[in-house]
């Protein structure tokens, strides 16, 4: 058996091996990256049907000293697995709240809200609500300008405890979006019991909305569902004017995507926002 094992390694393809070792290196480097403050938030505008920008989504990036800018699509799954997501997620919340407090004291940008992604593991952490309250208090960020984006996996827990947690935050004015909607498996009956404010249509449905009739039907169904549940609905990953028009016709309320802007460093986001205000 030992021989077979050693032989098996010879079949390992070198590219796959490089990927495995990159993963292992990033995995091991995450804690240190947090200590060395190598993470940064970029902000992507969210656009209402009338064209106004009233919120941005905070998206984390890792500025790696040797490997350059690393996408969260690569390191967030590792951080969720090894637990770094809890302190990293806390850092993201805190940084977003510092930014919110800063904008709130600036009359030209006081209306801007920030949506923050919160992982299932972070949301389920027993101190999550207390820490959020502490962060809001310490930074002075207005809770009504904070939106939390959760995925269905965060909510697949005992419904009473999920609702209690969300209600405690809602009482302060925090809002909730359900991210990547349509990719999970939660039942509609379950959804109805949650105090959500908004559904986000996953970009996977938006990208082929004009060419794949199934995606168009799913997007339309999510919009109708949101309407019936009294929720807002935002389409992410909107890249073309034709996609936006189709979604407008279906009754979508808000949009996000490269058609409007990529996620931007804070100074560029502020310049983008100020330009929009002058139009
Ligand atoms: P997400 O929350 O679904 O965020 C949307 C992703 O789509 C972002 O990728 C964004 O840059 C990208 N995107 C925006 N517009 C377009 C478009 O028009 N076309 C296409 N193709 N893509 C677009 P990003 O920044 O790489 O983030 C990937 C994922 O990493 C996020 O997906 C989210 O699940 C996770 N993530 C990012 N930041 C955080 C964070 O602070 N905490 C947690 N827990 N997860 C995060
Ligand atoms: Ca999101
Ligand atoms: Ca998504
Ligand atoms: Ca996602």
């Amino acid at each position: 058996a030992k021989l077979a094992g050693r032989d098996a390694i010879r079949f390992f393809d070198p590219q796959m091996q490089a990927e495995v070792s990159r993963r292992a290196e990033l995995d091991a480097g995450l804690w240190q990256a947090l200590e060395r403050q190598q993470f940064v938030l970029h902000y992507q505008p969210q656009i209402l049907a009338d064209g106004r920008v009233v919120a941005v989504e905070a998206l984390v990036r890792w500025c790696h000293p040797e490997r350059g800018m690393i996408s969260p699509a690569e390191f967030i799954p590792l951080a969720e697995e090894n637990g770094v997501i809890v302190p990293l997620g806390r850092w993201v919340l805190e940084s977003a709240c510092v930014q919110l407090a800063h904008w709130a004291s600036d009359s030209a940008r006081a209306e801007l809200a920030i949506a923050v992604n919160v992982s299932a593991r972070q949301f389920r952490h027993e101190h999550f609500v207390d820490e959020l309250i502490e962060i809001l208090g310490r930074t002075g960020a207005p809770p009504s300008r904070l939106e939390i984006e959760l995925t269905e996996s965060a909510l697949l827990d005992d419904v009473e405890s999920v609702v209690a947690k969300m209600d405690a935050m809602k009482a302060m004015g925090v809002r909730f979006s359900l991210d990547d909607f349509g990719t999970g498996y939660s039942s509609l009956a379950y959804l109805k019991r949650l105090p959500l404010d908004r559904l986000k249509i996953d970009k996977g449905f938006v990208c082929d909305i004009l060419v794949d009739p199934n995606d168009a039907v799913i997007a339309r169904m999510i919009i109708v569902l949101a309407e019936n549940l009294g929720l807002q609905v935002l389409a992410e990953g909107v890249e073309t004017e034709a996609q936006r028009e189709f979604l407008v016709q279906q009754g979508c309320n808000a949009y996000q995507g490269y058609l409007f802007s990529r996620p931007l460093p804070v100074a560029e986001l502020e310049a983008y926002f100020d330009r929009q205000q002058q139009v």
Side-chain angles (χ1 to χ4, degrees), residues 44 57 60-61 72 92 117 119 179-180 203 237 239 257-258 263:
Q44 186 176 37
E57 178 177 3
V60 69
R61 275 92 183 90
V92 168
N117 294 284
S119 284
D179 207 357
D180 299 348
K203 62 176 181 291
E239 295 185 357
Y258 299 161

Side-chain angles (χ1 to χ4, degrees), residues 109-144:
R109 304 183 182 124
E111 301 292 297
L112 261 181
I114 300 184
V116 174
N117 294 284
V118 171
S119 284
R121 186 160 175 179
Q122 186 188 357
F123 183 75
R124 292 209 192 104
H125 195 273
E126 57 171 338
H127 299 307
F128 180 72
V129 179
D130 293 337
E131 285 177 359
L132 179 66
I133 293 172
E134 190 273 324
I135 289 171
L136 286 166
R138 182 159 41 82
T139 59
S144 61

Side-chain angles (χ1 to χ4, degrees), residues 57 59 117 149 179 200 236:
E57 178 177 3
L59 293 155
N117 294 284
E149 297 196 0
D179 207 357
K200 289 188 83 170
E236 64 175 26

Side-chain angles (χ1 to χ4, degrees), residues 120-188:
R121 186 160 175 179
Q122 186 188 357
F123 183 75
R124 292 209 192 104
H125 195 273
E126 57 171 338
H127 299 307
F128 180 72
V129 179
D130 293 337
E131 285 177 359
L132 179 66
I133 293 172
E134 190 273 324
I135 289 171
L136 286 166
R138 182 159 41 82
T139 59
S144 61
R145 298 271 182 276
L146 179 66
E147 181 168 310
I148 290 181
E149 297 196 0
L150 298 169
T151 55
E152 288 170 73
S153 59
L155 304 172
L156 288 179
D157 216 340
D158 157 48
V159 68
E160 256 101 67
S161 73
V162 169
V163 170
K165 243 179 181 176
M166 291 174 77
D167 279 344
M169 292 180 267
K170 290 219 74 146
M172 298 186 287
V174 174
R175 282 168 296 163
F176 289 94
S177 272
L178 188 49
D179 207 357
D180 299 348
F181 188 67
T183 62
Y185 301 94
S186 44
S187 78
L188 300 183

Side-chain angles (χ1 to χ4, degrees), residues 41-42 44 57-61 71-77 80 85 88-89 91-93 116-120 122 149 151 179-180 200 202-203 207 236-240 243 256-263:
L41 293 183
H42 284 188
Q44 186 176 37
E57 178 177 3
L59 293 155
V60 69
R61 275 92 183 90
S71 157
E74 188 170 12
F75 67 80
I76 291 287
E80 284 172 342
I85 194 65
L88 173 58
W91 177 87
V92 168
L93 263 176
V116 174
N117 294 284
V118 171
S119 284
Q122 186 188 357
E149 297 196 0
T151 55
D179 207 357
D180 299 348
K200 289 188 83 170
D202 190 64
K203 62 176 181 291
C207 80
E236 64 175 26
V238 179
E239 295 185 357
T240 69
Q243 290 169 342
Q256 201 180 330
Y258 299 161
L259 173 63
F260 309 99
S261 170
R262 296 193 167 251

Side-chain angles (χ1 to χ4, degrees), residues 25-62:
E25 186 206 313
L26 295 184
D27 187 18
L30 275 165
W31 286 104
Q32 203 178 56
L34 199 56
E35 277 166 23
R36 297 189 177 171
Q37 299 179 291
Q38 290 170 357
F39 294 102
V40 63
L41 293 183
H42 284 188
Y43 297 95
Q44 186 176 37
Q46 300 182 331
I47 282 83
L48 296 184
D50 64 10
R52 278 185 309 143
V53 177
V54 289
V56 295
E57 178 177 3
L59 293 155
V60 69
R61 275 92 183 90
W62 180 358

